[in-house]
Amino acid sequence: MEKLEALHLNNKIDARVRKNSIWKSIFFLSTLFGLVVLAVLIIRVLFQGMSWIDIDFIVGRLSTTAENAGIMGAILGTLWVMVVVIPVTLIIGVGTAIFLELYSKKGRFQSIIETNISNLAGVPSIVYGLLGLTVFVRLADLGNVVLAGGLTLALLVLPILIVSAQEALRAVPGHLSEASYGMGATKWQTIRRIILPAAIPSILTGAILALSRAIGETAPLTVLGIPALLIPFPEGLFDTFTALPMQIYYWTIDSSLVAEYANLAAATIIILLIILFLLNSVAIFIRNKYQHRY
Amino acid sequence: MSTLTENKININVNDTVQTNESQEQIESKSSVIYNTQNLDLWYTKTHALKNINLEIRENEVTAIIGPSGCGKSTYIKTLNRMVELVPGVSTTGAISYKGKNILDKSIKVEDLRTQVGMVFQKPNPFPKSIYENVAYGPKVHGIKKKAILDEIVEKSLRGAAIWDEVKDRLNQNAYGLSGGQQQRICIARCLAIEPDVLLMDEPTSALDPISTLKIEELIKELKKNYTIIIVTHNMQQAARISDRTVFMLNGEVVEFSETNQLFSNPKDQRTEDYITGRFG
């Protein structure tokens, strides 16, 4: 101990401990910043919109008079779009990830594809709107219907899902698949029985992120020419529709004309958040069911 | 390469059977199950196995010893072609298993691996129940009936000497077991596909001495019904449980003989240096 004291190690320890607590507070403040901003936003929206939410607002049809306006059309539109987006992104996204991660040979071609997919995740959403407009609305001549909107949004979030599903598959410990191959299982049996069940929790985390993005996107829908003022409810994939974010967008813009529209927009944001929350809790429920430690 | 020719002479001296023709094999007390001839293996550019010639006999325990990186794990993984999971592996030469060259592309690896089970270094049960772990192999091979699966699971767990410890908690996750128990579950999982050969890649290196002892006792028991090839870092273990021992160094087989002889009277200076602890 004498030697240690002679070297003034104690002083250095004090400095190190101080540094440690400084860094800890920096990280804590970063977390706090996000939480505070989120809380302010939510509280503001709640105050502005909560009193406007009632049964008539939820199940009612659209109206130009603020008091009579309902958003059932937009809710149904958003749900119908999700009916397209969820299966398309999950099947194509997870399929692509499985191919890239487990079947294709690692090499130049593979890394070019992967780099491109990562870059696609960063392409502005309005560009996807243009793509959707060209391919689905005009070329495939679908018009601005649920299917066209859903496919466009699916394209938009596919890169996010592919990248996160790839990471999920990569994180499955190699010794598990080795054990399976070692018993004479084929690649597909190993994927279906061992790798996918182990990767599902993380894949769903990616799916939650992707869906949250898709459900809130406005820009690509504007480009597709999705109307905000639409009285009839969509009943299928080939009906024209409007979606909650479109509704929020137009009501916010028009609030300069009719002040109450701002409150309607806030109320719609609350409904959108609730739907998002419900969809995500389904994913979280499935995720917890599959959560294993290994 | 004078040592290499010495090896071949050693092998020939120790073996009662000089050639691999089947008529002569019958005369031996146990016949050759694996016959490796002129096997070379490369990981992309690295020459990992160099001209391996080995005959492994049925119902014996063959231990492979040698320092880290000598190619012993690579060799054992070639015997069920698991080595192919590493990208960029290429081989030349032949390994005949029951008379068929398993390096031939026409051999289905799934079929080979059903006959040749493997136990790994780290216990690697699936994140499933004990029952599902053991039933995995039979299910993969298409057995669906619950009664048959129940029977296989019990038989395999008994075979791996762990039935009494887990019979009351078959539906619990295998991760709740100790490391040694997990390794015996992995052995049971292997037995469930009724292989002829068990490849063991340092099966006790992650275990404590008591668990190691249990696995070693189990190996002696399993020898009656299975051919066992075990890679080990532990020379005492090789001496305790094996009938024949292979000493490998830098991708070559330095010496292969009966275990007693290899440890008491090694022919090669390098073997002697290794087993007396001068290196490795």
Side-chain angles (χ1 to χ4, degrees), chain A residues 175-176 178-186 189-190 193-194 292-294, chain B residues 82 85 110 113 120 122 124-128 136 139-141 175 189 193:
Chain A
H175 60 76
L176 292 182
E178 266 189 0
S180 175
Y181 291 132
M183 265 176 298
T186 61
Q189 285 176 317
T190 304
R193 290 166 190 259
I194 304 296
H292 304 293
R293 56 200 183 90
Y294 44 75
Chain B
M82 288 288 280
L85 295 180
E110 289 82 7
R113 290 170 190 163
F120 298 83
K122 202 179 145 222
N124 58 353
F126 300 127
K128 296 171 185 275
Y136 181 81
K139 279 188 176 174
V140 157
H141 294 289
Y175 280 72
R189 185 175 62 183
I193 51 169

Side-chain angles (χ1 to χ4, degrees), chain B residues 71-224:
Chain B
K72 53 193 192 305
S73 285
T74 301
Y75 176 64
I76 200 177
K77 283 184 179 152
T78 316
L79 297 178
N80 67 347
R81 284 179 55 182
M82 288 288 280
V83 77
E84 286 168 19
L85 295 180
V86 183
V89 165
S90 57
T91 49
T92 60
I95 301 176
S96 79
Y97 170 72
K98 293 185 170 176
K100 276 186 198 157
N101 181 12
I102 57 163
L103 296 183
D104 198 283
K105 290 294 163 214
S106 66
I107 295 282
K108 283 203 174 67
V109 288
E110 289 82 7
D111 189 30
L112 173 69
R113 290 170 190 163
T114 313
Q115 298 174 58
V116 182
M118 188 161 206
V119 178
F120 298 83
Q121 185 169 357
K122 202 179 145 222
N124 58 353
F126 300 127
K128 296 171 185 275
S129 71
I130 295 169
Y131 183 98
E132 285 299 324
N133 260 283
V134 182
Y136 181 81
K139 279 188 176 174
V140 157
H141 294 289
I143 296 173
K144 290 195 181 91
K145 278 199 178 130
K146 181 91 170 65
I148 299 176
L149 287 172
D150 285 351
E151 199 181 310
I152 294 175
V153 168
E154 178 171 346
K155 198 175 144 206
S156 310
L157 287 168
R158 280 188 194 281
I162 192 165
W163 171 252
D164 290 329
E165 287 162 67
V166 298
K167 64 183 175 197
D168 299 322
R169 45 173 169 160
L170 291 178
N171 291 318
Q172 285 177 25
N173 197 303
Y175 280 72
L177 300 171
S178 75
Q181 288 173 323
Q182 287 187 14
Q183 193 62 301
R184 278 180 286 149
I185 292 291
C186 294
I187 294 175
R189 185 175 62 183
C190 247
L191 300 184
I193 51 169
E194 297 185 346
D196 298 320
V197 180
L198 286 177
L199 305 175
M200 298 186 165
D201 189 1
E202 298 183 36
T204 62
S205 66
L207 304 180
D208 63 273
I210 293 170
S211 305
T212 301
L213 194 70
K214 281 191 179 156
I215 303 272
E216 286 184 11
E217 279 166 6
L218 176 60
I219 290 171
K220 285 180 198 160
E221 193 59 35
L222 289 171
K223 194 180 108 174
K224 293 171 190 161

Side-chain angles (χ1 to χ4, degrees), chain A:
Chain A
M1 281 309 284
E2 271 177 30
K3 263 190 181 169
L4 289 179
E5 276 160 31
L7 289 168
H8 304 288
L9 281 186
N10 271 334
N11 294 341
K12 284 188 182 164
I13 286 174
D14 282 346
R16 290 208 320 253
V17 169
R18 211 165 32 244
K19 211 174 200 175
N20 185 44
S21 38
I22 290 172
W23 279 109
K24 188 187 164 188
S25 8
I26 290 176
F27 297 137
F28 175 72
L29 287 175
S30 327
T31 315
L32 200 65
F33 177 78
L35 284 179
V36 167
V37 171
L38 184 68
V40 168
L41 277 175
I42 288 181
I43 289 168
R44 205 190 97 90
V45 166
L46 282 179
F47 267 108
Q48 202 177 0
M50 209 55 201
S51 57
W52 287 76
I53 296 180
D54 54 24
I55 289 296
D56 289 337
F57 178 70
I58 294 173
V59 300
R61 283 177 196 268
L62 203 59
S63 163
T64 42
T65 42
E67 285 76 16
N68 299 331
I71 54 163
M72 200 57 202
I75 293 178
L76 288 173
T78 287
L79 291 178
W80 271 112
V81 166
M82 286 300 118
V83 167
V84 178
V85 171
I86 293 173
V88 169
T89 37
L90 277 183
I91 293 170
I92 298 182
V94 176
T96 308
I98 288 178
F99 177 77
L100 288 177
E101 209 48 47
L102 300 164
Y103 281 98
S104 81
K105 286 217 168 69
K106 306 279 168 286
R108 204 187 176 81
F109 179 68
Q110 159 114 2
S111 72
I112 290 174
I113 288 183
E114 283 182 3
T115 314
N116 276 306
I117 290 175
S118 309
N119 284 340
L120 282 178
V123 169
S125 58
I126 199 150
V127 178
Y128 283 95
L130 289 170
L131 178 72
L133 180 70
T134 320
V135 177
F136 302 127
V137 177
R138 295 201 181 136
L139 209 63
D141 206 16
L142 290 171
N144 51 358
V145 296
V146 169
L147 188 61
L151 289 175
T152 306
L153 289 178
L155 278 185
L156 170 73
V157 297
L158 253 179
I160 305 174
L161 192 75
I162 293 172
V163 171
S164 63
Q166 266 186 290
E167 272 161 19
L169 293 170
R170 215 174 295 149
V172 177
H175 60 76
L176 292 182
S177 37
E178 266 189 0
S180 175
Y181 291 132
M183 265 176 298
T186 61
K187 193 159 205 165
W188 168 239
Q189 285 176 317
T190 304
I191 291 171
R192 188 171 68 84
R193 290 166 190 259
I194 304 296
I195 300 177
L196 266 188
I200 273 180
S202 314
I203 290 178
L204 284 177
T205 306
I208 290 172
L209 281 175
L211 286 190
S212 308
R213 171 104 193 264
I215 211 169
E217 271 297 340
T218 323
L221 296 182
T222 354
V223 179
L224 290 186
I226 305 301
L229 273 174
L230 193 72
I231 307 297
F233 291 163
E235 283 167 356
L237 298 181
F238 295 97
D239 286 356
T240 47
F241 72 105
T242 187
L244 288 166
M246 294 302 299
Q247 206 69 69
I248 296 166
Y249 174 62
Y250 281 111
W251 268 334
T252 310
I253 289 181
D254 291 349
S255 66
S256 54
L257 307 172
V258 185
E260 283 86 6
Y261 280 177
N263 302 335
L264 287 179
T268 313
I269 290 172
I270 298 172
I271 300 292
L272 179 63
L273 286 177
I274 291 173
I275 292 178
L276 187 60
F277 179 76
L278 290 177
L279 278 178
N280 284 352
S281 37
V282 174
I284 291 169
F285 175 76
I286 303 174
R287 187 174 73 185
N288 291 345
K289 198 166 160 277
Y290 274 95
Q291 203 102 55
H292 304 293
R293 56 200 183 90
Y294 44 75

